[in-house]
Amino acid sequence: MIRVRFALVSATALTGLALLSACGAGDSGTSAAAPKQAAGGGAGLAATMVGDLGNVVTGADGKTLYRFDDDTVNPSVSNCDGQCAALWPPVLADSATSVQGIDKSLIGEVTRKDGTKQVTLDGRPLYEYVKDTAPGQANGQGVQGTWFAAKPDGGKAGQTATPPSSATADTGSGGYGY
């Protein structure tokens, strides 16, 4: 009886793992970073002081959010997919998006090529940067001259001059910073 239960529990666990691993593949069949969304189910946005950049938009986890100059605003279109989205995960939208210190009328959403909804700020899709590993970091600022921390009004934070040295050391073609 115990062996039968163990076998059933093991089979159920393996099936669950197989289903979870299938969900991790991107549309190109390669594994990609999951889009960012708050654990409570909604995307939380806040205006937060980050280093010399001043007030920038941060996500539910306190990490800096970015805008991509290659995206379009009218109409809103995200042009960061595949490898780009693995390095710059999109911030997903849902009905529970909350804001603090940001004009809620500037918050919107755009449907991505994969059908998911991404948060926009003043028409620009928002992203995290995987090299920001803790709140208060802005390692993506100025990468390839196209990625900038988003200000609460949707503008670019800081100057467009020299990006941080850690960002320039590993930037490649395509403006994605990988």
Side-chain angles (χ1 to χ4, degrees), residues 60-85:
D61 59 2
K63 293 181 184 173
T64 302
L65 299 183
Y66 298 89
R67 46 175 275 164
F68 183 37
D69 282 352
D70 288 352
D71 287 343
T72 61
V73 175
N74 192 12
S76 291
V77 175
S78 169
N79 290 308
C80 179
D81 296 299
Q83 289 181 333
C84 175

Side-chain angles (χ1 to χ4, degrees), residues 83 144 170-178:
Q83 289 181 333
Q144 288 292 316
D170 59 359
T171 57
S173 63
Y176 307 135
Y178 55 84

Side-chain angles (χ1 to χ4, degrees), residues 117-143:
K117 304 260 186 210
Q118 183 174 359
V119 174
T120 62
L121 176 60
D122 198 27
R124 293 210 172 264
L126 294 176
Y127 306 86
E128 278 196 4
Y129 185 46
V130 298
K131 294 185 181 182
D132 285 348
T133 58
Q137 295 179 342
N139 296 314
Q141 176 67 11
V143 169

Side-chain angles (χ1 to χ4, degrees), residues 56-114:
V56 300
V57 180
T58 58
D61 59 2
K63 293 181 184 173
T64 302
L65 299 183
Y66 298 89
R67 46 175 275 164
F68 183 37
D69 282 352
D70 288 352
D71 287 343
T72 61
V73 175
N74 192 12
S76 291
V77 175
S78 169
N79 290 308
C80 179
D81 296 299
Q83 289 181 333
C84 175
L87 191 60
W88 301 92
V91 178
L92 293 185
D94 73 11
S95 60
T97 299
S98 64
V99 296
Q100 183 177 8
I102 301 168
D103 182 350
K104 183 131 177 123
S105 71
L106 295 176
I107 306 301
E109 61 184 43
V110 63
T111 302
R112 296 176 52 78
K113 292 175 188 170
D114 64 4

